[in-house]
């Protein structure tokens, strides 16, 4: 989906142009009795390069920058503290660039973008490996995940 921009109900082409101000995003609905917001953020850090201010791996531009969108002051505080702990861990050689922003209207992406990894598994796998994402995650987190 898309969030954080000015255009109402943007299309993929509009978002990719970088002119709407939207991020490509995932909206997660969760039960805090089962998983906490903090636990979700901890999983998030292990899926991205939080030090890249210009996008993610092959995907470049503002649309692909990383961000955590919060819905309450409590969520904001949890996100800020988590980002601070990650920065202080010195796990990365560059500063953490992930923004923490107030949640905005979320627009679902077009149907052909939904579950892309299931609809196009071979292409998705080649793209994911070729982009360097898996190598980055293994190098950054590897066995250190057990800390």
């Amino acid at each position: 989906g898309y969030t954080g921009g000015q255009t109402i109900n943007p299309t993929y082409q509009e978002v990719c142009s970088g002119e709407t101000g939207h991020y490509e995003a995932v909206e997660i609905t969760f039960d805090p009795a089962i998983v906490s917001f903090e636990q979700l953020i901890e999983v998030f850090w292990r899926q991205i390069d939080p030090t890249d201010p210009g996008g993610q791996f092959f995907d470049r531009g503002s649309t692909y920058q990383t961000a955590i969108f919060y819905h309450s002051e409590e969520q904001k505080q949890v996100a800020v503290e988590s980002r601070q702990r990650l920065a202080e861990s010195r796990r990365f050689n560059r500063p953490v660039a992930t923004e923490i922003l107030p949640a905005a209207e979320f627009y679902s992406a077009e149907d052909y973008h939904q579950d892309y990894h299931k609809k196009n598994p071979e292409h998705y796998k080649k793209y994911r490996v070729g982009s360097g994402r898996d190598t980055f995650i293994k190098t950054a987190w590897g066995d250190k995940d057990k800390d």
Side-chain angles (χ1 to χ4, degrees), residues 15-143:
V15 170
C16 286
S17 74
E19 295 177 14
T20 68
H22 287 89
Y23 293 73
E24 284 197 14
V26 175
E27 183 176 51
I28 299 174
T29 302
F30 66 100
D31 180 346
I34 297 172
V35 63
S36 70
F37 186 66
E38 184 173 8
Q39 288 171 310
L40 292 173
I41 291 173
E42 293 305 316
V43 170
F44 172 71
W45 292 132
R46 288 167 169 76
Q47 307 309 309
I48 63 166
D49 177 355
T51 68
D52 188 347
Q56 289 292 288
F57 309 105
F58 277 171
D59 296 317
R60 309 311 304 157
S62 61
T63 302
Y64 303 107
Q65 293 172 328
T66 60
I68 296 170
F69 294 93
Y70 61 87
H71 290 271
S72 69
E73 285 303 310
E74 180 183 355
Q75 285 184 349
K76 178 182 179 182
Q77 189 61 37
V78 167
V80 167
E81 289 172 4
S82 179
R83 181 178 64 186
Q84 185 65 32
R85 282 192 306 275
L86 182 61
E88 290 172 356
S89 75
R90 302 198 188 279
R91 183 177 293 273
F92 302 103
N93 295 329
R94 300 185 306 175
V96 174
T98 300
E99 297 284 339
I100 297 173
L101 304 169
E105 184 73 29
F106 182 85
Y107 300 98
S108 293
E110 295 83 350
D111 284 343
Y112 70 95
H113 285 292
Q114 301 296 331
D115 294 321
Y116 186 83
H117 68 289
K118 291 179 183 176
K119 293 175 183 173
N120 300 283
E122 288 303 314
H123 183 264
Y124 175 79
K125 183 177 178 181
K126 287 178 186 176
Y127 185 81
R128 181 178 167 139
V129 171
S131 74
R133 179 175 184 246
D134 289 341
T135 300
F136 175 86
I137 291 169
K138 184 176 182 181
T139 301
W141 296 99
D143 290 338

